Amino acid sequence: MSWEYSEKTTQLFMDAVHGKPGTHLGEIEDPDGFGEHGSIACGDAMRFTFRVEKDYEDPLKDVIVEARYMTFGCTSAIAASEALCRLIEEGRYSPIEALKITNESIVDYLEGLPEQKIHCSVMGAEALEAAVFNWAQKRGVDLEELGIDLVSEDEEEGRIVCKCFTLSEPYLRRKIQELNLRTIAEVTHATKAGGACMSCHQAPGGIQDLLDEVWGRKPATVKQVAEEPQPREPEPTNGSGLSSYQLMKKVEQCIEDYIRPQLQSDGGDIEIVDIKDSLVYCKLSGACAGCAHAGQTMKLMVERTLKDLVDERIRVIGV
Amino acid sequence: MTVIYADNNATTAIDPQVTEAMLPYLQDQYFNPSSMYEVARPVANAIEKARESVAHVLGGIEANQILFTSGATESNNAAIFGTAKANRSRNHIITTAVEHPAVLEVCREMERDGYEVTFLSVDRSGRLNMQEFVQALQPDTLMVTIMHGNNETGVIFPVDELARITKETDPAIIFHTDATQSVGKIPLDLTGAFRYVDMLSLSGHKLHGPKGVGALYVKRGTQWRPFIIGGHQENGRRGGTYNVASIVGLGSACDLAREHRDDEKRIAALRDRLEAGILDRVPQVEVNGQDAPRLPNTLNVACHYVEGEGILYQLSALGICASSGSACTSGSLDPSHVLKTMELPFTAIHGSIRFSLSRYTTDAEVDAIIDAFPKVIANLRKMSPYWDTKTNQPR
């Protein structure tokens, strides 16, 4: 699958990789806003920092003058990080105004993103929100009073819906509404939820259920009834009247008492890998392992001895 | 820009001699080999000659056990579905969790159809646990389908041993192997060590032949029913007009693979040099499948704290073609199932890159990769929140 990135996306990525002037790779020391999103296990993660020109009378008039990122992720994750920083610096926004930058603004700036890469732009928007939240805490701004419903990710605990990417129910519910996600595929593209093992798609309380709760239920679907597991047949006994277990014990005893001592006297050894009724799987070790006659030892010595002393039907298979 | 092609496990460059062998059958030798008239006879002969060539590369088996297919995916589908159809009293399949999707997905489909499937796991180096394999064999085991060389890591499974143990346990269990990545790269003798194998899949375009053609070996006497029916071709075992030019191409590619048998050592030396060069110059890198026997052409390296797509993208800008097991390149959001089964640490699973060489790979190309790769990784680590560039170590 080749890349379907816009020229803008590839340009931003290559500029960033080569550290061209005007790119925003890095981390601000003692930042005024600090936010992170994603994790290395999920395949992308971003650390976002900004610095403001402080307004000493009214923190709401702080202006973001510098934004930097560190990003682990694919081409589009890095381009989206770069885009976010440019949008913010070009806008000379206050942190509150910066919240206008959504994942859609980032996608527009990148002149489009492939559908399955939308989550990269969401990561940028999430990291920005987290950083603004952090700034508000530091500057004593009460976001709730301003009517801004920003939830720090740490507070967004709740039942985990997507276990692969550790995404919680409150988070997904919020994203489904904010980003107007209508299908499981859209949820996956935007948040990654359900993108790996997919078991949460139709699980009770899974993504489909969340979508139904948010947008109302679709007409009832036919539920599949799980098949009853077939009962196993009882273990057959073999002709000698010994149960499999008794036979196994006798084989082990015989190897212990007769076979192993013989092999050991030649500097070798034997290991029982498995016993299935009259089939005995063995591995020769020590001097026997590399021996050209290992095959013959198995047949003529190990198998013959077991046939003679335990049961004529025994067959030995070398592993 | 010159292209450095190091993605030969994905596909290979077609050998010019293969193209030349095919051309007449795309031009005036257009006759249907199944036709009765005299002018069609050379075309029919060309098919049988190609069959001999395939039989020869597999150790000189009798050629009528080779069926031509549209590729290894069809061969694998035919092997598994056809075996199940012919042995309805058995209900259990053994495979591995690291198969190519052309086997893995078919086995999952069998599972949905009610079959019990054992997906054997592998260790950190990609090796099977032989005890786990032996324990998986059951009285109702229908078949074992286990790949020879892994397409992602190059790890080689001991298919000769696995087949012997299977057939010694119960001759009615059918043993199939997907040898797509190993045919033409390492010795594989169906009359020698691999004689216990009942069925084998191979593909033309992985050994410098054309795409869209492959073969399935079905040992005489194997309980198997055809998968694609609708014609008397291949004695009714695979319907459909012969893809003449491609079949001739596959035959020619097999002949050339035998001629180039000794290149294996040279390719392995190039791979080893590439491996050493990368390990030497890039910190926090490990070779996937390090402690296992591997295909001579394959190197899969895991680079901690970076993401594979960004690596590929930069390599591509330098004209270097390689592959990655990262989630971002897989089309899903999940990283490679092979590397996940190997339990690669999560810091590295997204940063795995596969280089796969061929007999066309040159020393200069390997040098160019060794030169470019450390910079590409350093560029991305510089950006990674998990990497400290000052100390050149993870944070």
Side-chain angles (χ1 to χ4, degrees):
Chain A
M1 189 175 61
S2 65
W3 292 276
E4 293 160 23
Y5 292 137
S6 66
E7 262 179 53
K8 184 83 175 178
T9 305
T10 58
Q11 184 70 46
L12 285 180
F13 172 75
M14 289 312 264
D15 286 355
V17 160
H18 294 119
K20 289 238 173 94
T23 53
H24 295 80
L25 172 69
E27 193 171 351
I28 296 168
E29 276 184 42
D30 300 324
D32 297 309
F34 172 95
E36 286 182 306
H37 191 79
S39 87
I40 194 166
C42 303
D44 46 24
M46 176 179 185
R47 177 180 301 155
F48 175 73
T49 49
F50 65 72
R51 191 168 64 76
V52 295
E53 224 168 62
K54 288 197 177 103
D55 186 301
Y56 286 95
E57 285 172 10
D58 182 1
L60 293 182
K61 289 185 181 153
D62 284 1
V63 173
I64 303 179
V65 288
E66 195 183 358
R68 290 287 182 270
Y69 68 88
M70 299 289 277
T71 294
F72 164 88
C74 56
T75 308
S76 51
I78 287 163
S81 308
E82 191 59 46
L84 172 68
C85 292
R86 291 191 183 198
L87 277 165
I88 288 179
E89 287 188 5
E90 284 166 14
R92 286 194 61 83
Y93 296 119
S94 73
I96 301 293
E97 286 168 339
L99 290 176
K100 285 187 304 197
I101 300 171
T102 62
N103 77 297
E104 281 173 14
S105 331
I106 295 171
V107 173
D108 288 345
Y109 193 90
L110 294 174
E111 291 164 8
L113 268 182
E115 210 177 39
Q116 64 271 27
K117 297 286 189 175
I118 295 292
H119 65 84
C120 295
S121 65
V122 174
M123 177 170 74
E126 293 282 346
L128 167 65
E129 281 191 13
V132 172
F133 189 85
N134 173 259
W135 162 85
Q137 281 184 327
K138 283 183 178 158
R139 294 284 279 154
V141 174
D142 188 344
L143 290 171
E144 226 171 293
E145 207 169 80
L146 297 168
I148 296 167
D149 181 22
L150 256 194
V151 200
S152 115
E153 241 181 279
D154 305 337
E155 291 174 17
E156 211 156 25
E157 285 173 6
R159 184 179 61 86
I160 299 300
V161 175
C162 168
K163 295 195 172 62
C164 300
F165 295 110
T166 330
L167 297 172
S168 70
E169 179 179 334
Y171 173 80
L172 287 175
R173 196 184 289 275
R174 182 164 66 84
K175 286 290 133 187
I176 286 170
Q177 283 166 334
E178 272 178 22
L179 304 174
N180 188 25
L181 309 173
R182 297 286 175 160
T183 64
I184 293 175
E186 283 177 3
V187 172
T188 302
H189 290 145
T191 67
K192 292 189 164 191
C197 79
M198 302 186 184
S199 60
C200 62
H201 286 193
Q202 299 291 349
I207 297 176
Q208 187 60 54
D209 284 358
L210 284 183
L211 285 166
D212 289 346
E213 282 169 34
V214 174
W215 305 120
R217 191 174 293 275
K218 296 247 169 62
T221 49
V222 182
K223 287 234 172 82
Q224 284 188 337
V225 182
E227 266 179 55
E228 291 272 321
Q230 296 287 322
R232 285 248 165 204
E233 281 179 28
E235 200 177 344
T237 54
N238 49 60
S240 63
L242 294 172
S243 76
S244 298
Y245 181 77
Q246 288 168 321
L247 188 71
M248 186 177 86
K249 283 290 152 199
K250 286 192 94 169
V251 167
E252 283 174 356
Q253 198 63 48
C254 176
I255 287 179
E256 223 33 70
D257 293 349
Y258 299 99
I259 297 172
R260 194 190 305 279
Q262 277 195 56
L263 292 173
Q264 282 175 339
S265 68
D266 289 336
D269 207 341
I270 187 164
E271 181 191 322
I272 305 172
V273 175
D274 198 14
I275 302 172
K276 295 176 192 284
D277 290 327
S278 56
L279 290 182
V280 179
Y281 298 81
C282 293
K283 188 176 176 178
L284 293 177
S285 52
C288 298
C291 173
H293 304 297
Q296 283 186 342
T297 304
M298 273 302 187
K299 281 286 161 206
L300 299 180
M301 198 285 236
V302 182
E303 185 172 283
R304 196 63 255 165
T305 308
L306 288 171
K307 276 177 182 291
D308 290 349
L309 296 178
V310 182
D311 191 317
E312 183 54 38
R313 288 165 309 129
I314 283 179
R315 283 196 294 125
V316 171
I317 297 177
V319 172
Chain B
M1 185 170 60
T2 50
V3 168
I4 296 177
Y5 189 70
D7 200 16
N8 286 280
N9 287 9
T11 195
T12 55
I14 193 160
D15 189 301
Q17 292 185 59
V18 171
T19 315
E20 205 176 310
M22 290 170 71
L23 273 177
Y25 303 95
L26 296 165
Q27 294 166 334
D28 40 349
Q29 295 294 317
Y30 55 82
F31 308 104
N32 190 327
S34 308
S35 298
M36 297 304 293
Y37 28 77
E38 193 58 31
V39 286
R41 190 179 301 270
V43 182
N45 289 344
I47 301 258
E48 294 319 308
K49 183 167 166 284
R51 206 184 299 282
E52 292 288 343
S53 300
V54 176
H56 221 110
V57 87
L58 297 175
I61 46 168
E62 270 187 63
N64 58 13
Q65 303 170 97
I66 299 291
L67 310 181
F68 290 112
T69 67
S70 65
T73 298
E74 182 193 320
S75 299
N76 290 333
N77 272 267
I80 298 169
F81 287 130
T83 299
K85 249 201 299 188
N87 302 272
R88 292 195 187 271
S89 61
R90 292 182 174 227
N91 197 44
H92 174 237
I93 297 171
I94 299 174
T95 186
T96 77
V98 297
E99 295 295 310
H100 186 277
V103 166
L104 200 60
E105 291 299 329
V106 177
C107 287
R108 293 209 179 112
E109 181 69 5
M110 297 298 287
E111 214 175 16
R112 286 187 281 268
D113 273 356
Y115 282 81
E116 184 195 343
V117 182
T118 302
F119 296 93
L120 297 171
S121 193
V122 295
D123 68 8
R124 192 65 182 72
S125 262
R127 290 169 298 201
L128 288 173
N129 177 331
M130 293 302 267
Q131 183 170 26
E132 202 189 319
F133 168 70
V134 167
Q135 286 169 348
L137 293 162
Q138 298 176 186
D140 76 333
T141 300
L142 162 71
M143 76 185 300
V144 176
T145 170
I146 291 183
M147 72 199 317
H148 192 203
N150 187 281
N151 49 307
E152 290 192 30
T153 59
V155 169
I156 299 167
F157 285 149
V159 161
D160 46 351
E161 284 292 286
L162 295 165
R164 178 184 58 77
I165 293 168
T166 302
K167 301 303 276 190
E168 283 185 358
T169 298
D170 178 356
I173 302 176
I174 291 171
F175 192 98
H176 166 251
T177 185
D178 176 4
T180 305
Q181 293 292 349
S182 59
V183 170
K185 287 181 193 156
I186 52 172
L188 200 173
D189 184 353
L190 289 173
T191 62
F194 290 80
R195 64 187 179 281
Y196 292 96
V197 170
D198 295 309
M199 305 181 95
L200 176 147
S201 304
L202 65 91
S203 167
H205 75 110
K206 307 286 196 207
L207 62 155
H208 304 288
K211 294 167 184 60
V213 67
L216 176 65
Y217 160 71
V218 184
K219 186 189 274 177
R220 182 168 306 134
T222 301
Q223 288 296 306
W224 174 83
R225 283 183 72 86
F227 174 64
I228 290 186
I229 48 181
H232 53 83
Q233 293 88 357
E234 307 282 2
N235 294 327
R237 292 174 299 171
R238 200 275 188 181
T241 301
Y242 291 102
N243 181 1
V244 181
S246 295
I247 289 170
V248 169
L250 171 61
S252 166
C254 287
D255 288 343
L256 290 165
R258 283 199 304 124
E259 272 177 39
H260 287 279
R261 225 175 345 210
D262 295 337
D263 289 8
E264 182 189 332
K265 289 186 200 76
R266 190 184 68 85
I267 297 168
L270 279 177
R271 190 274 314 269
D272 291 345
R273 199 156 67 75
L274 178 62
E275 183 172 316
I278 288 175
L279 291 180
D280 202 35
R281 286 168 180 76
V282 187
Q284 297 274 334
V285 166
E286 57 184 290
V287 174
N288 293 323
Q290 181 135 42
D291 299 325
R294 280 180 291 150
L295 294 172
N297 77 321
T298 308
L299 171 63
N300 190 315
V301 284
C303 308
H304 287 258
Y305 306 102
V306 286
E307 206 281 332
E309 198 209 69
I311 303 174
L312 290 190
Y313 201 86
Q314 290 184 72
L315 288 174
S316 167
L318 298 166
I320 299 169
C321 307
S323 281
S324 164
S326 94
C328 275
T329 57
S330 68
S332 83
L333 289 170
D334 227 6
S336 143
H337 67 285
V338 177
L339 303 179
K340 268 173 69 173
T341 307
M342 287 165 72
E343 296 189 342
L344 225 63
F346 65 90
T347 51
I349 198 157
H350 294 281
S352 290
I353 295 291
R354 178 189 72 189
F355 295 104
S356 44
L357 314 182
S358 78
R359 62 175 181 250
Y360 295 121
T361 309
T362 64
D363 274 294
E365 287 175 330
V366 166
D367 286 335
I369 300 173
I370 294 175
D371 186 47
F373 197 66
K375 291 178 210 157
V376 164
I377 300 301
N379 282 342
L380 291 174
R381 282 188 173 158
K382 196 174 68 193
M383 316 184 102
S384 172
Y386 302 109
W387 191 263
D388 187 344
T389 309
K390 285 194 199 94
T391 61
N392 214 14
Q393 286 293 324
R395 284 186 191 232

